[in-house]
Amino acid sequence: RGFLPLFSLAPAVAPEPARAALGLPASAKVALFFGFVRPYKGLDGLLAAWPLVLQALPLARLLIVGEFWEPVEDFRARAGALGVTDSLTIVDRYVRDEELGTLFGAADVVAMPYVAATGSAVAPLALHFGRPMVATAVGGLPEAVADGVSGLLVPPGDPQALADALIRVLGDPVLRQSLAEGASRERERFGWSELVARIVAAGAALGAKPSVS
């Protein structure tokens, strides 16, 4: 999926029916972690931050969607030790494109707590569906997540900072709406016109001349 245009995807499903389809409370504040669960994605850091989120927002829910590259039972055990199991919804499988509108439609914020990254295929999805992001400032994520515009950036490996940012977005409807609108505007950065402009700019940097048809 990467940073390519996402014109084939349907728009997000409205929050209430999306949450009903996933068995989530209609009134919950929902954070979504999406994608293959691998160590560099930082899900353990998000889990460490989640009890802090629940202290401020007891009705918050964490929706974790993607195939685990570790035994999911180990993750459930860590969640149980932290006392947050009841606030988690885990979908441990590959997700079809047709399901994305429901998953992102149910979310108030998309969490990307990576510990390392060159880029993210999740950020363009969040932008496509107009969802704010909270992401760590590693690798190419600061390019994909405009801090204060489409999301909030936090230092990696800092559960308190991650929790504080999630609490800000989930707990402040004005900020959340502003970031959602910013995400929708930022979607254009990953459209065809921007892709062509980047290719032309790269060619110019290498001394190539654009052809004229």
Side-chain angles (χ1 to χ4, degrees), residues 38-196:
R38 303 174 70 176
Y40 77 90
K41 296 286 189 69
L43 181 57
D44 279 346
L46 178 56
L47 185 62
W50 196 244
L52 303 173
V53 175
L54 292 177
Q55 287 177 15
L57 302 169
L59 299 181
R61 296 293 293 266
L62 177 56
L63 174 61
I64 301 168
V65 181
E67 292 181 274
F68 275 68
W69 285 46
E70 62 173 69
V72 69
E73 293 79 12
D74 292 349
F75 179 80
R76 292 186 188 276
R78 294 195 293 274
L82 291 171
V84 300
T85 299
D86 290 345
S87 68
L88 306 184
T89 297
I90 299 175
V91 181
D92 176 24
R93 62 176 175 80
Y94 178 78
V95 172
R96 303 185 312 274
D97 286 351
E98 306 85 75
E99 301 176 82
L100 295 177
T102 296
L103 295 169
F104 281 82
D108 292 293
V109 64
V110 178
M112 294 185 289
Y114 293 17
V115 296
T118 53
S120 170
V122 179
L125 288 170
L127 297 178
H128 173 82
F129 292 113
R131 291 302 182 264
M133 294 167 280
V134 168
T136 47
V138 297
L141 292 184
E143 178 185 355
V145 182
D147 191 28
V149 176
S150 60
L152 301 178
L153 292 172
V154 299
D158 189 337
Q160 184 68 62
L162 180 60
D164 288 345
L166 288 169
I167 291 166
R168 284 185 62 196
V169 178
L170 292 173
D172 184 343
V174 175
L175 174 62
R176 191 166 62 249
Q177 180 63 30
S178 174
L179 295 176
E181 292 172 355
S184 296
R185 293 193 303 270
E186 284 283 287
R187 179 188 176 190
E188 297 304 315
R189 292 202 295 132
F190 300 100
W192 281 115
S193 59
E194 177 62 20
L195 179 62
V196 171

Side-chain angles (χ1 to χ4, degrees), residues 28-46:
K29 300 304 179 189
V30 180
L32 169 66
F33 174 96
F34 180 82
F36 292 120
V37 180
R38 303 174 70 176
Y40 77 90
K41 296 286 189 69
L43 181 57
D44 279 346
L46 178 56

